[in-house]
């Protein structure tokens, strides 16, 4: 019966449907994290907005699980499902630019690469406050908050969101934004600014401010230190970030790089990634103290931010290997000596050479916004570390070994750095007390909005707003990694 109904739906669509056995199916279900192997019943590729509404109506009518796939970077695979309907947005990719308002409007089948390339072609030098990985799509990124290399200058990605179009669970297409006047629309837009993807409807279009950088090109690059120097480097860095201007952001990296002489061997490093929204010479002056700490190498460039995204952004992809991803959020002073010791110990014992961790630097314009102005609550944090445990499934026990390592690493890191939460965009099915960790005091308002906009809780998954799921504080069960629904 369902097969017949799917065939009938395909005749109503301007786009098309892919099912198991079709030539495109295996490619369509593939996402960045190769560990995720869910098999949906059908994948809809909409060609027009009406296709999205029809696909949602079909899934609701037939009581099928439903999820939306943009760039396919959901850390837990929540953009997919088992036996249901997936809305793959990639063919909805129209982008327009309004030079008077200095906004770019994009349908939500685009990825950040498309937006960066489009804005480059305008010749204006304006940039979106977008993601550091070009293959990530804007909707999931922005619905969770969205940290950019220039967020310390211009705020989070959601702070630059003007409006969006969303198809709510009742099938209605609504335009909501900063100019909304009804209480319901104001509440829904608030929830979409940090309340996480997949909770309130299907976002089909976003209008974003674009910004003029402080100089045509920026100082960007990588500085790498021996891992065993982490205490000295982080001791300086932890205090130095409180003195730098908002135009400077220096992210972090922990992992392996090729030996500079013997390319067949790896060297464990602590890395820093500076991005200075200003002239190269001024940025070099600000980095003087870090450069005196005897790095292994310092590769610094003078290029536009989009050029840097294309040069550097692909390095953090899982790229089809197996992965477990976890996050924590640390306050001011969180990169302390105890954290440095945990980093040295844990990275020295990583079971896979492909695993690494990064962190985002907060502060600046991000914390100029109150924690309840948007749904994103962690405005006053300073560091957002993310662990990517990456491995190839060569033998039994690989998954358990690599997941346990990453889980314990970040449990220790969180304790040493006095963690205040976790980041929903690095959503983790093993995160205990996830509602509080992701949303803090904003969760009660999110739950109220969710109940009103989706009274039948159709948009639900294992960690959707309102879900009772809560894994134990100690790692005793990996099964939540293997499902999207309860």
């Amino acid at each position: 019966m369902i097969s017949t109904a799917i065939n009938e739906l395909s005749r109503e669509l301007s786009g098309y449907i892919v099912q198991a056995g079709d030539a495109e199916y295996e490619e369509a279900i593939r996402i960045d994290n190769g560990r995720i192997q869910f098999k949906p019943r059908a994948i809809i590729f909409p060609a027009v907005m009406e296709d999205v509404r029809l696909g949602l109506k079909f899934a609701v009518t037939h009581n099928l699980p439903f999820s939306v796939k943009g760039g396919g970077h959901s850390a837990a695979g929540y953009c997919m499902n088992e036996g249901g309907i997936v809305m793959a947005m990639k063919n909805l990719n129209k982008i327009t630019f309004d030079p008077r308002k200095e906004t770019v409007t994009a349908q939500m089948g685009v990825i950040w690469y498309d937006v960066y390339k489009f804005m480059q072609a305008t010749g204006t030098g304006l940039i979106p406050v977008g993601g550091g990985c070009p293959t990530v799509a804007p909707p999931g990124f922005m619905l969770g908050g969205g940290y950019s290399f220039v967020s310390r200058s211009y705020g989070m990605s959601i702070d630059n969101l003007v409006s969006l179009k969303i198809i709510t669970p009742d099938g209605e297409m609504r335009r909501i934004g900063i100019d909304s006047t009804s209480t319901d629309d104001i509440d829904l837009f608030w929830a979409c600014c940090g309340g996480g993807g997949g909770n309130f409807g299907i976002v089909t279009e976003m209008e974003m401010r674009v910004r003029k950088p402080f100089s045509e090109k920026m100082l960007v690059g990588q500085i790498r230190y021996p891992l065993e120097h982490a205490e000295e480097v982080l001791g300086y860095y932890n205090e130095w970030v409180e003195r730098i201007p908002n135009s400077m952001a220096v992210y972090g990296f922990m992992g392996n790089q090729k030996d500079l002489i013997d390319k067949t061997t790896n060297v464990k490093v602590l890395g820093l990634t500076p991005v200075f929204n200003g002239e190269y010479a001024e940025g070099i002056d600000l980095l003087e103290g870090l450069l005196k700490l005897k790095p292994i190498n310092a590769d610094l460039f003078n290029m536009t931010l989009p050029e840097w995204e294309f040069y550097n952004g692909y390095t953090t992809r899982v790229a089809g290997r197996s992965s477990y991803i976890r996050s924590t959020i640390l306050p001011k002073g969180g990169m302390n000596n105890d954290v440095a010791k945990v980093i040295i110990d844990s990275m020295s014992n990583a079971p896979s050479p492909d695993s690494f961790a990064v962190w985002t630097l907060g502060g600046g314009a991000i914390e100029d916004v109150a924690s309840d102005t948007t749904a994103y609550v962690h405005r006053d944090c300073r560091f957002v570390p993310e662990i990517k445990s990456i491995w190839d499934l060569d033998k039994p026990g690989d998954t358990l070994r690599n997941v346990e390592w990453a889980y314990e690493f970040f449990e220790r890191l969180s304790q040493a750095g006095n963690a205040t939460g976790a980041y929903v965009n690095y959503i983790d099915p093993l995160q205990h007390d996830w509602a509080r960790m992701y949303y803090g005091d904003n969760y009660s308002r999110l739950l109220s909005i969710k109940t009103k906009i989706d009274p039948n809780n159709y948009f639900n998954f294992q960690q959707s707003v309102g879900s009772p799921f809560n894994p134990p504080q100690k790692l005793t069960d990996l099964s939540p990694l293997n499902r999207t629904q309860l």
Side-chain angles (χ1 to χ4, degrees), residues 98-116:
D98 187 331
R100 182 183 60 84
K101 294 172 63 178
E102 293 192 339
T103 61
V104 62
T105 301
Q107 292 182 333
M108 292 292 94
V110 302
I111 56 177
W112 282 117
Y113 177 91
D114 302 323
V115 183
Y116 294 143

Side-chain angles (χ1 to χ4, degrees), residues 283-425:
I284 285 289
D285 288 343
L286 288 168
L287 294 176
E288 182 181 7
L290 290 174
L291 295 173
K292 287 181 177 179
L293 295 175
K294 300 178 180 179
I296 297 172
N297 56 288
D299 302 310
L300 302 174
F301 309 98
N302 192 27
M303 60 177 68
T304 66
L305 187 62
E307 289 170 339
W308 172 244
E309 309 283 13
F310 303 147
Y311 177 85
N312 178 73
Y314 298 98
T315 59
T316 59
R317 293 186 305 162
V318 177
R321 295 165 291 175
S322 292
S323 183
Y324 167 64
I325 296 168
R326 187 170 177 80
S327 73
T328 189
I329 289 180
L330 304 181
K332 295 176 184 178
M335 284 292 169
N336 56 45
N337 283 345
D338 289 339
V339 164
K341 291 173 182 175
V342 170
I343 290 171
I344 293 170
D345 179 58
S346 295
M347 289 308 305
S348 297
N349 293 289
S352 168
D354 293 332
S355 296
F356 64 89
V358 293
W359 74 79
T360 296
L361 177 65
I366 299 167
E367 60 185 353
D368 291 341
V369 178
S371 62
D372 60 355
T373 298
T374 65
Y376 188 77
V377 73
H378 303 292
R379 292 289 184 165
D380 61 351
C381 78
R382 187 58 78 241
F383 311 102
V384 186
E386 173 200 14
I387 179 70
K388 287 192 174 182
S389 181
I390 300 173
W391 67 97
D392 294 317
L393 288 175
D394 293 331
K395 52 186 177 294
D398 280 355
T399 295
L400 178 60
R401 184 161 47 253
N402 283 276
V403 170
E404 284 183 335
W405 169 78
Y407 187 95
E408 293 304 324
F409 179 4
F410 264 44
E411 284 294 291
R412 294 174 61 200
L413 189 76
S414 297
Q415 183 176 0
N418 300 309
T420 58
Y423 185 29
V424 69
N425 274 0

Side-chain angles (χ1 to χ4, degrees), residues 178-483:
I178 58 176
D179 58 355
S180 292
T181 55
S182 78
T183 299
D184 286 350
D185 285 353
I186 290 170
D187 281 347
L188 183 56
F189 187 66
W190 178 90
C192 288
C193 291
N199 282 303
F200 305 101
I202 309 167
V203 176
T204 60
E205 183 178 283
M206 283 180 163
E207 179 188 10
M208 302 164 264
R209 293 189 189 93
V210 284
R211 300 288 194 159
K212 190 74 171 179
F214 299 152
S215 61
E216 181 182 353
K217 296 184 177 180
M218 301 181 181
L219 181 152
V220 296
Q222 302 281 7
I223 308 172
R224 297 286 196 251
Y225 304 89
L227 181 64
E228 59 267 24
H229 292 181
E231 288 187 63
E232 178 187 8
V233 174
L234 291 183
Y236 175 86
Y237 171 85
N238 200 32
E239 297 181 0
W240 174 78
V241 294
E242 303 304 328
R243 305 192 300 268
I244 58 177
N246 293 355
S247 50
M248 175 65 84
V250 181
Y251 286 22
F253 171 85
M254 322 158 214
N256 289 316
Q257 73 171 22
K258 295 299 181 184
D259 183 270
L260 299 181
I261 306 301
D262 181 1
K263 302 296 185 182
T264 65
T265 62
N266 288 326
V267 178
K268 294 187 182 298
V269 298
L270 174 78
L272 297 176
T273 303
V275 176
F276 178 63
N277 184 9
E279 295 292 345
Y280 186 93
E282 185 181 351
I284 285 289
D285 288 343
L286 288 168
L287 294 176
E288 182 181 7
L290 290 174
L291 295 173
K292 287 181 177 179
L293 295 175
K294 300 178 180 179
I296 297 172
N297 56 288
D299 302 310
L300 302 174
F301 309 98
N302 192 27
M303 60 177 68
T304 66
L305 187 62
E307 289 170 339
W308 172 244
E309 309 283 13
F310 303 147
Y311 177 85
N312 178 73
Y314 298 98
T315 59
T316 59
R317 293 186 305 162
V318 177
R321 295 165 291 175
S322 292
S323 183
Y324 167 64
I325 296 168
R326 187 170 177 80
S327 73
T328 189
I329 289 180
L330 304 181
K332 295 176 184 178
M335 284 292 169
N336 56 45
N337 283 345
D338 289 339
V339 164
K341 291 173 182 175
V342 170
I343 290 171
I344 293 170
D345 179 58
S346 295
M347 289 308 305
S348 297
N349 293 289
S352 168
D354 293 332
S355 296
F356 64 89
V358 293
W359 74 79
T360 296
L361 177 65
I366 299 167
E367 60 185 353
D368 291 341
V369 178
S371 62
D372 60 355
T373 298
T374 65
Y376 188 77
V377 73
H378 303 292
R379 292 289 184 165
D380 61 351
C381 78
R382 187 58 78 241
F383 311 102
V384 186
E386 173 200 14
I387 179 70
K388 287 192 174 182
S389 181
I390 300 173
W391 67 97
D392 294 317
L393 288 175
D394 293 331
K395 52 186 177 294
D398 280 355
T399 295
L400 178 60
R401 184 161 47 253
N402 283 276
V403 170
E404 284 183 335
W405 169 78
Y407 187 95
E408 293 304 324
F409 179 4
F410 264 44
E411 284 294 291
R412 294 174 61 200
L413 189 76
S414 297
Q415 183 176 0
N418 300 309
T420 58
Y423 185 29
V424 69
N425 274 0
Y426 306 144
I427 200 162
D428 171 17
L430 303 180
Q431 176 65 62
H432 175 70
D433 200 13
W434 57 268
R436 181 183 63 83
M437 297 294 280
Y438 295 147
Y439 304 116
D441 292 340
N442 287 342
Y443 187 69
S444 59
R445 184 178 176 189
L446 280 170
L447 185 57
S448 175
I449 295 167
K450 168 71 171 177
T451 302
K452 190 169 186 179
I453 200 72
D454 188 12
N456 297 317
N457 194 29
Y458 185 71
F459 281 85
N460 70 85
F461 53 96
Q462 190 166 230
Q463 290 172 287
S464 60
V465 171
S467 170
F469 170 72
N470 189 23
Q473 192 163 9
K474 295 294 184 181
L475 181 59
T476 58
D477 178 13
L478 299 192
S479 66
L481 298 178
N482 303 319
R483 60 179 182 248

Side-chain angles (χ1 to χ4, degrees), residues 90-138:
K90 73 173 187 177
N91 294 330
L92 293 176
N93 51 26
K94 181 181 178 182
I95 308 175
T96 58
F97 171 56
D98 187 331
R100 182 183 60 84
K101 294 172 63 178
E102 293 192 339
T103 61
V104 62
T105 301
Q107 292 182 333
M108 292 292 94
V110 302
I111 56 177
W112 282 117
Y113 177 91
D114 302 323
V115 183
Y116 294 143
K117 279 294 186 183
F118 178 88
M119 287 309 303
Q120 278 186 317
T122 68
T124 62
L126 296 168
I127 57 173
V129 183
C133 178
T135 57
V136 168

